[in-house]
């Protein structure tokens, strides 16, 4: 079970929700005065927060628990294979071992599914909590810097690396803003407000 695939799926779901929230907020802007609009890469921040020990350690503990259980079953299957090879071909003993092996393999698949399901539920809960904290931190920063709106968007100038239509559509949804003035990306300020300890990637450091 790999945590990276789960994180990608969760982040893409948040991208679609953030885009809908952005459109709704801007649609209600009916005032006459000029509004200041800030931009924050909430998806990157979710990724960073999920890498924080507070969240990563919990997922690792769950993963290790299921890995240990699967290892015990693997050892049982290997033992059955050894006994099967040592048994007389076609004997009643070998038939019984074959049946036990089939049952062990079925339990192994069930455990894999249960483990993946628990990890997915935990990851979803963590991503939801992380996004809530990011939204709260964004409001604090926006109030401090005088922004009326904060839009969740990745930099539209960043290259997309999708090789499928569905993947490209998700990356486009993550970039609802195509053009915005320089100096209004408050991602670094929000990251500081959140107090993240995980160092940003090199491509984020240039923000």
């Amino acid at each position: 079970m790999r945590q990276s695939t789960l994180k990608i799926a969760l982040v893409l779901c948040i991208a679609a929700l953030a885009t809908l929230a952005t459109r709704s907020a801007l649609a209600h802007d009916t005032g006459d005065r000029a509004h200041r609009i800030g931009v924050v890469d909430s998806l990157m921040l979710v990724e960073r927060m999920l890498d924080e020990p507070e969240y990563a350690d919990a997922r690792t503990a769950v993963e290790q628990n299921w890995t240990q259980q699967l290892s015990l079953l693997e050892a049982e299957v290997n033992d059955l294979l050894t006994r099967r090879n040592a048994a007389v071909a076609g004997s009643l003993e070998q038939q019984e071992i074959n049946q036990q092996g089939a049952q062990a393999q079925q339990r192994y698949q069930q455990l894999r599914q249960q483990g993946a399901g628990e990890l997915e539920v935990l990851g979803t809960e963590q991503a939801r909590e992380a996004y809530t904290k990011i939204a709260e931190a964004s409001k604090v920063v926006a109030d401090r810097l005088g922004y009326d709106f904060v839009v969740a968007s990745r930099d539209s100038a960043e290259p997309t690396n999708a090789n499928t239509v569905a993947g490209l559509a998700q990356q486009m949804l993550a970039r609802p803003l195509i053009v915005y003035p320089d100096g209004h990306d408050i991602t670094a300020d929000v990251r500081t407000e959140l107090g993240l300890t995980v160092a940003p990637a090199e491509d984020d450091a240039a923000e």
Side-chain angles (χ1 to χ4, degrees), residues 5-199:
T5 302
L6 172 63
K7 283 174 58 181
I8 292 172
L10 292 171
V11 167
L12 290 178
C13 289
I14 291 174
L17 293 174
T19 301
L20 292 175
T22 296
R23 292 172 178 170
S24 176
L26 294 180
H28 286 81
D29 179 18
T30 58
D32 295 329
R33 70 181 181 89
H35 292 282
R36 296 191 71 207
I37 300 176
V39 180
V40 62
D41 190 343
S42 59
L43 302 184
M44 180 273 287
L45 292 176
V46 168
E47 292 171 345
R48 293 289 170 270
M49 290 191 69
L50 292 181
D51 287 336
E52 289 285 304
E54 174 186 0
Y55 295 110
D57 290 352
R59 296 196 309 276
T60 298
V62 170
E63 192 169 25
Q64 288 178 343
N65 175 58
W66 286 104
T67 298
Q68 182 178 11
Q69 295 186 54
L70 290 172
S71 296
L72 292 175
L73 261 182
E74 287 176 358
E76 180 181 339
V77 171
N78 290 334
D79 179 65
L80 288 170
L81 287 175
T82 300
R83 290 170 50 196
R84 179 185 182 280
N85 293 333
V88 177
S91 65
L92 179 61
E93 178 186 8
Q94 191 179 69
Q95 293 176 14
E96 291 177 348
I97 293 174
N98 287 338
Q99 183 178 8
Q100 293 173 8
Q103 293 173 347
Q105 289 179 345
Q106 184 177 10
R107 294 201 308 274
Y108 183 87
Q109 293 300 324
Q110 291 174 342
L111 273 180
R112 279 180 59 91
Q113 293 176 1
Q114 291 174 8
E118 182 177 345
L119 189 60
E120 182 174 4
V121 169
L122 175 60
T124 301
E125 293 174 349
Q126 289 183 343
R128 182 184 296 112
E129 180 179 311
Y131 187 74
T132 298
K133 291 181 178 179
I134 291 168
E136 293 172 349
S138 297
K139 186 179 186 308
V140 171
V141 172
D143 290 343
R144 184 169 65 239
L145 299 181
Y147 286 100
D148 303 286
F149 296 97
V150 175
V151 181
S153 180
R154 286 193 183 275
D155 188 348
S156 61
E158 291 180 357
T160 57
N161 54 8
N163 53 14
T164 65
V165 174
L168 178 60
Q170 292 288 2
Q171 293 187 352
M172 291 168 63
L173 282 172
R175 296 166 172 80
L177 287 186
I178 298 176
V179 177
Y180 56 88
D182 293 336
H184 291 276
D185 189 334
I186 63 173
T187 302
D189 299 275
V190 175
R191 183 165 53 207
T192 300
E193 181 68 27
L194 289 166
L196 300 185
T197 60
V198 176

